[in-house]
Amino acid sequence: MSPAETLDDARATLRRLIRDDTSLVRATFSGRQRNAQVPYRRAELRYVDLKDGRRLQVTTYDQTQAFTRNVEVGEASALEIDTVLDAGYANWHVDTVREAVQVRVSKKGRPLLSRTPRQTEVERALAHDRSKSRRLDARDPLFEVLGIAGSDGRI
């Protein structure tokens, strides 16, 4: 790990990587800087494709549960990114399709930046709505015979 110039330089580097919705895989923030209070135990950012278009998915974790919200790409997502970067987290991990960037903020407040290029590009999973894995498919004729499903296979 090499020291970055300043914490603001590290934030600017990560901000640029996170705002690129074509290459970001996931950004994770955890830990807390010395004498800082963080709002959540952990925060994750990634882009997802919904019916309404691409959104920035912000997932924050407290001690017992996760809170997920989808924010429009643009001004709203830029504000969310800046909020997370300024929250006081000590460990920042940003995975893109071409590289992995890690920033660890030392006890003295100095950022230690590490960049690892990838040998091959990572595949991104932007799909948000996934079909549930079930033992029997809902279109199985057994459900129609039992009267649970209609002829179209809907339960």
Side-chain angles (χ1 to χ4, degrees):
M1 287 195 176
S2 64
E5 293 294 319
T6 64
L7 200 54
D8 289 334
D9 293 338
R11 280 189 188 107
T13 300
L14 294 185
R15 185 177 293 115
R16 182 178 41 79
L17 292 172
I18 296 170
R19 289 186 78 173
D20 184 6
D21 67 334
T22 60
S23 69
L24 179 73
V25 176
R26 182 176 65 184
T28 306
F29 302 86
S30 62
R32 68 177 179 85
Q33 295 175 24
R34 184 179 223 170
N35 299 325
Q37 294 295 324
V38 291
Y40 296 99
R41 179 176 52 89
R42 178 180 161 128
E44 289 182 6
L45 307 174
R46 73 183 189 108
Y47 288 98
V48 294
D49 287 335
L50 303 175
K51 287 185 246 180
D52 297 334
R54 185 160 291 171
R55 299 285 190 259
L56 176 68
Q57 185 177 73
V58 180
T59 307
T60 52
Y61 300 87
D62 67 6
Q63 299 304 322
T64 58
Q65 64 185 18
F67 304 95
T68 302
R69 61 190 185 284
N70 297 314
V71 181
E72 282 191 43
V73 175
E75 288 294 320
S77 65
L79 181 63
E80 286 290 332
I81 293 167
D82 290 341
T83 301
V84 172
L85 285 171
D86 295 336
Y89 290 104
N91 301 307
W92 309 342
H93 299 271
V94 176
D95 290 322
T96 67
V97 293
R98 292 182 242 12
E99 68 180 334
V101 179
Q102 177 181 352
V103 174
R104 187 177 65 80
V105 181
S106 70
K107 286 183 180 180
K108 294 185 178 183
R110 288 192 298 255
L112 300 172
L113 180 79
S114 171
R115 295 181 97 124
T116 308
R118 300 204 186 274
Q119 302 297 340
T120 59
E121 284 196 8
V122 173
E123 180 131 354
R124 298 182 339 144
L126 295 174
H128 179 68
D129 297 328
R130 298 181 206 123
S131 60
K132 289 189 176 184
S133 174
R134 301 186 187 270
R135 292 183 185 201
L136 288 176
D137 187 18
R139 294 179 305 259
D140 192 304
L142 173 67
F143 292 123
E144 186 178 350
V145 171
L146 293 174
I148 298 174
S151 60
D152 60 352
R154 294 188 62 182
I155 295 179

